[in-house]
Amino acid sequence: LPPDINISGSGFTAEDSGRIRFGLNAVKNVGTRLIERSVEERQEKPYTSLYDFCKRMHGTELNRRTVESLIKAGAFDNLGSNRRSLVEATEGVLKSIESDSRKNLDGQIDLFSMMSGMDNTSAADSYQLKPCPEYTHPSLLQPEQQVSGLYLSGHPLASSREPSAPFTHHTTKPPTS
């Protein structure tokens, strides 16, 4: 199974279904400190979105390459958005979080919001992912393989299995007795 930001640990883990969940440590560009902190953080409350994850992990080894690697490996697939939408939103989410962080450090308060009685929420708090069509299956598998070393959600030749069946006589499966 692909990694899942709300389930996976640093190493590979066996699930109740008998399947093996890919470990976050095996995803390229993801550091040990980030993995440890993300596992600790989700114990209190599971991650609900890409923004939620990035906001809670800000200040660790989090950067655009790390987030994109996690997306490409499928770690955010169970959060309700497709990989293409998440990849396209990554830079905006990270910039918003960085901007919010700078404002908080500087102690800046929006004078106009204060005078109008509005609360000083950031644009990122209401950040919505732009819906886009998902990548084609082969386009989804290539980056997945690049960041994990394996095809986790399918295989590029799977679509050829059925049409080539009449021409194949051998299999890698052991014979059944």
Side-chain angles (χ1 to χ4, degrees), residues 73-144:
F76 295 101
D77 286 358
N78 290 332
L79 296 182
S81 298
N82 67 44
R83 293 183 195 180
R84 184 181 207 162
S85 296
L86 293 171
V87 167
E88 291 185 13
T90 300
E91 185 134 353
V93 167
L94 292 174
K95 282 183 180 179
S96 294
I97 291 170
E98 186 62 37
S99 174
D100 288 350
S101 178
R102 263 189 256 117
K103 284 180 187 176
N104 290 340
L105 287 175
D106 294 341
Q108 296 176 353
I109 298 174
D110 183 352
L111 180 62
F112 296 108
S113 293
M114 248 178 62
M115 290 176 66
S116 67
M118 297 171 60
D119 65 288
N120 191 24
T121 58
S122 70
D125 289 337
S126 60
Y127 190 85
Q128 297 293 320
L129 294 175
K130 294 176 187 166
C132 356
E134 180 62 286
Y135 297 118
T136 62
H137 194 62
S139 299
L140 193 74
L141 293 175
Q142 182 189 11
E144 183 178 273

Side-chain angles (χ1 to χ4, degrees), residues 3-174:
D4 186 312
I5 202 65
N6 282 319
I7 298 171
S8 297
S10 62
F12 292 81
T13 54
E15 298 220 336
D16 293 337
S17 64
R19 300 178 78 186
I20 298 173
R21 174 80 54 190
F22 202 78
L24 296 172
N25 204 24
V27 178
K28 290 181 183 173
N29 305 315
V30 180
T32 306
R33 185 170 165 231
L34 178 78
I35 295 168
E36 290 170 354
R37 180 138 175 257
S38 68
V39 170
E40 286 173 17
E41 186 73 24
R42 77 171 183 228
Q43 299 302 321
E44 294 178 31
K45 178 180 151 192
Y47 301 107
T48 57
S49 66
L50 175 66
Y51 176 77
D52 180 41
F53 173 79
C54 292
K55 179 86 172 170
R56 289 162 62 183
M57 292 297 104
H58 183 70
T60 57
E61 299 170 350
L62 188 71
N63 58 45
R64 186 180 55 82
R65 240 172 63 184
T66 300
V67 174
E68 286 181 355
S69 291
L70 287 168
I71 293 168
K72 290 174 183 177
F76 295 101
D77 286 358
N78 290 332
L79 296 182
S81 298
N82 67 44
R83 293 183 195 180
R84 184 181 207 162
S85 296
L86 293 171
V87 167
E88 291 185 13
T90 300
E91 185 134 353
V93 167
L94 292 174
K95 282 183 180 179
S96 294
I97 291 170
E98 186 62 37
S99 174
D100 288 350
S101 178
R102 263 189 256 117
K103 284 180 187 176
N104 290 340
L105 287 175
D106 294 341
Q108 296 176 353
I109 298 174
D110 183 352
L111 180 62
F112 296 108
S113 293
M114 248 178 62
M115 290 176 66
S116 67
M118 297 171 60
D119 65 288
N120 191 24
T121 58
S122 70
D125 289 337
S126 60
Y127 190 85
Q128 297 293 320
L129 294 175
K130 294 176 187 166
C132 356
E134 180 62 286
Y135 297 118
T136 62
H137 194 62
S139 299
L140 193 74
L141 293 175
Q142 182 189 11
E144 183 178 273
Q145 195 274 337
Q146 288 173 344
V147 298
S148 68
L150 299 169
Y151 297 108
L152 300 170
S153 60
H155 194 278
L157 297 178
S159 61
S160 303
R161 179 174 288 137
E162 198 65 35
S164 65
F167 307 106
T168 58
H169 303 289
H170 299 287
T171 180
T172 56
K173 291 181 182 178

